[in-house]
Amino acid sequence: MSCVCPGTTKSQEIIEKTKKHPCYSAEAHHTYARMHLPVAPQCNVQCNYCNRKFDCVNESRPGVTSEVLTPDQALDKFEWVKEKIDQLSVVGIAGPGDALAEWKLTKQTFENIKAVNSDVTFCLSTNGLLLPEYAEEIIQLGVQHVTVTVNTLDPEIGAKIYKFVVYKGIRYEGVEAAKLLLKNQLAGIEYLTKRGVLVKINIVMIKGINDHHIPAVVKKVKELGVFVTNIMPLIPAPGSAFEHFSQTSMKEINELRNVCQLDIQQMRHCQQCRADAIGLLNEDRSQEFRMCNRQTAEVKTAQNLKKKQYKIAVTSKYGKLVDQHFGHASKFIIYQGDGQDFKIVENRSVEKFCSGMEECDSGEVQRDNIINALQDCDAVLTMRIGHHAKERLNKKEIYSVEYCDTVNNGLQYAVSQLADR
Ligand code: CLF
Ligand code: SF4
């Protein structure tokens, strides 16, 4: 890919960084790695193709993550991954919601990393609704690669794609919502490109909805000075309004890309990756770098901890390892102790709420029942827990700790976390 930035010193810097950006440069994607930091769980738009509720480790699509991090945890994760993956060149924030809907968290995350590393390239992906508000801050922060998803220029088509948009506290629906989103997207894109930011446009091709209209979108964003467009197939996410739509085939995608290539360069190597993706684009290592794996080495010595008694509910298949997902547990082992000594005080049975995707919605009631059944506990120690369950526990002041080692080490770790709170 050739770069078209203005000929300033700064643009030379962007050119160099872009050569090592695996999404912006087709050549770089075999050599350089990116990591996504999932620090932005909320979104201000509801696209009919999106469902962020599922966080199955086997699913790879935008919006899916196995963990949501605070900016401090994100820094920790960055340092860990940087140490292990030499080719890491890009840190991106791509949700699992919208990077700008959670601007404070996104900004803090980039600032934390900037303070310890000046080489890495920052990248963010957004629906564009808040670009007019934050475009200048994005530039000041040094983010030179921004992706905006623009699916249509026509509000009538937009009304079929977006269920609603929430802007400045007001919820908009239908054509009005699509008009507002489009206006902000176009204004934000132009603002960024005029200031040398390399803007990539993602377009989800939804057959029967926007497919015939995509060349017009591409022409328009070209006029606005974008760098590349990325036409992606619809992945019918379970539980989304478009779940029964058929997935657009790569043949159809490539035919459309070939038409649009005449206007602007096309990205053809996108992996539609998870919000916590790590590694080369075609070699996701996100599960290896889950924070619960990092924490094993960092268990603090129990001697240093306060002598408070804690009650901790553990999910474990056989009682030795923390090896069960929160949603799969039909029984919690309740431990009580101070960090040095723990004893089992109860085996508490509950009705598990996760029986797979099909029945996921009907699991809400069971989930609430489980959370109520754990009200007397300070923490849940579990191999993995979904974002929504975590949030619900948090509201009851029950701390969730993800861990993947022995129950004993996990209990010590959980207490160290509780003592630090
Ligand atoms: Fe991430 Fe996106 Fe930045 Fe890349 S992904 S924020 S530009 S660092 Fe890349 Fe993944 Fe495709 Fe995105 S392969 S989904 S295009
Ligand atoms: Fe999902 Fe992104 Fe659409 Fe928000 S903007 S609903 S996170 S696809």
Side-chain angles (χ1 to χ4, degrees):
M1 289 181 181
S2 62
C3 187
V4 289
C5 326
T8 61
T9 317
K10 187 169 173 237
S11 70
Q12 188 55 40
E13 180 198 330
I14 301 182
I15 292 168
E16 292 309 316
K17 288 198 158 189
T18 302
K19 283 183 191 160
K20 296 184 187 174
H21 194 310
C23 305
Y24 280 67
S25 160
E27 291 77 32
H29 91 277
H30 299 293
T31 322
Y32 290 99
R34 55 76 182 96
M35 74 179 292
H36 283 168
L37 287 167
V39 294
Q42 304 299 329
C43 190
N44 42 18
V45 170
Q46 181 57 62
C47 304
N48 284 329
Y49 49 75
C50 177
N51 183 4
R52 284 167 286 130
K53 207 150 89 180
F54 298 111
D55 65 349
C56 175
V57 286
N58 298 318
E59 253 200 291
S60 187
R61 61 173 166 79
V64 170
T65 184
S66 288
E67 58 189 6
V68 172
L69 305 176
T70 64
D72 286 350
Q73 290 169 328
L75 173 62
D76 196 13
K77 186 163 185 173
F78 165 73
E79 290 187 312
W80 180 27
V81 173
K82 184 74 191 136
E83 198 183 293
K84 303 275 181 200
I85 303 184
D86 284 347
Q87 322 96 302
L88 181 71
S89 62
V90 172
V91 168
I93 296 183
D98 184 77
L100 301 188
E102 298 272 26
W103 176 240
K104 273 193 185 157
L105 297 172
T106 297
K107 186 176 173 187
Q108 187 63 55
T109 301
F110 284 143
E111 280 174 347
N112 285 353
I113 293 172
K114 223 167 125 177
V116 299
N117 186 302
S118 55
D119 293 340
V120 74
T121 298
F122 292 146
C123 187
L124 71 78
S125 167
T126 174
N127 58 40
L129 181 66
L130 292 178
L131 269 181
E133 269 80 2
Y134 297 125
E136 186 52 37
E137 281 188 62
I138 290 171
I139 294 166
Q140 294 307 325
L141 200 54
V143 181
Q144 296 160 330
H145 298 82
V146 173
T147 295
V148 189
T149 303
V150 181
N151 294 315
T152 180
L153 304 173
D154 179 345
E156 299 284 341
I157 296 176
K160 295 179 190 162
I161 300 176
Y162 306 107
K163 186 169 178 207
F164 62 81
V165 160
V166 178
Y167 186 60
K168 298 189 175 175
I170 301 172
R171 180 180 159 124
Y172 299 85
E173 292 184 9
V175 170
E176 202 188 1
K179 260 189 198 164
L180 171 63
L181 178 62
L182 180 66
K183 177 170 143 278
N184 287 3
Q185 287 172 333
L186 298 183
I189 292 165
E190 191 168 22
Y191 190 95
L192 291 173
T193 56
K194 284 204 165 141
R195 286 155 187 84
V197 173
L198 294 198
V199 177
K200 172 164 76 61
I201 302 297
N202 283 355
I203 308 167
V204 182
M205 178 180 177
I206 312 159
K207 273 172 71 180
I209 303 275
N210 71 342
D211 46 350
H212 62 283
H213 174 67
I214 287 176
V217 177
V218 171
K219 282 185 199 304
K220 177 66 187 175
V221 297
K222 180 194 175 189
E223 265 173 49
L224 296 179
V226 309
F227 182 69
V228 60
T229 61
N230 174 22
I231 303 169
M232 308 185 298
L234 169 77
I235 302 177
S240 71
F242 288 171
E243 72 174 323
H244 299 301
F245 279 50
S246 52
Q247 179 157 351
T248 322
S249 73
M250 285 319 291
K251 181 172 175 286
E252 291 160 317
I253 290 283
N254 283 327
E255 281 169 6
L256 193 54
R257 284 174 180 164
N258 291 343
V259 171
C260 294
Q261 177 79 46
L262 301 174
D263 285 308
I264 192 168
Q265 62 186 333
Q266 300 294 301
M267 179 176 183
R268 292 172 186 268
H269 57 287
C270 176
Q271 298 296 317
Q272 291 183 278
C273 34
R274 300 165 55 97
D276 59 359
I278 291 176
L280 299 176
L281 294 191
N282 57 1
E283 189 191 69
D284 182 38
R285 294 173 63 181
S286 56
Q287 295 312 307
E288 178 187 335
F289 287 104
R290 287 179 56 207
M291 286 303 270
C292 64
N293 293 328
R294 164 123 167 125
Q295 287 152 358
T296 309
E298 294 174 350
V299 174
K300 296 181 181 173
T301 54
Q303 287 79 0
N304 298 330
L305 302 174
K306 296 179 198 164
K307 291 289 178 193
K308 191 184 161 195
Q309 290 284 314
Y310 293 101
K311 210 182 239 190
I312 299 176
V314 180
T315 63
S316 171
K317 287 182 195 153
Y318 306 106
K320 296 279 182 222
L321 300 172
V322 186
D323 56 359
Q324 197 173 34
H325 185 303
F326 179 79
H328 297 165
S330 54
K331 180 190 79 174
F332 287 84
I333 310 172
I334 312 292
Y335 282 83
Q336 190 158 7
D338 59 6
Q340 278 183 322
D341 296 311
F342 267 101
K343 61 176 188 215
I344 297 176
V345 290
E346 192 185 336
N347 278 302
R348 199 172 287 177
S349 295
V350 293
E351 196 184 345
K352 65 176 183 174
F353 70 79
C354 180
S355 320
M357 285 184 181
E358 300 269 304
E359 294 172 39
C360 205
D361 274 335
S362 65
E364 298 286 325
V365 177
Q366 287 101 309
R367 189 183 348 232
D368 283 342
N369 289 343
I370 291 172
I371 288 165
N372 289 335
L374 300 176
Q375 286 214 66
D376 60 324
C377 297
D378 297 287
V380 166
L381 176 64
T382 182
M383 184 181 81
R384 201 161 68 81
I385 182 166
H387 177 62
H388 293 277
K390 204 177 206 171
E391 275 191 338
R392 280 170 147 103
L393 284 167
N394 238 337
K395 280 192 188 139
K396 302 262 184 195
E397 299 192 351
I398 307 167
Y399 190 50
S400 7
V401 180
E402 288 183 295
Y403 200 75
C404 319
D405 193 15
T406 63
V407 171
N408 278 345
N409 286 344
L411 287 167
Q412 287 191 31
Y413 175 70
V415 170
S416 73
Q417 295 288 295
L418 285 164
D420 281 350
R421 292 186 90 202

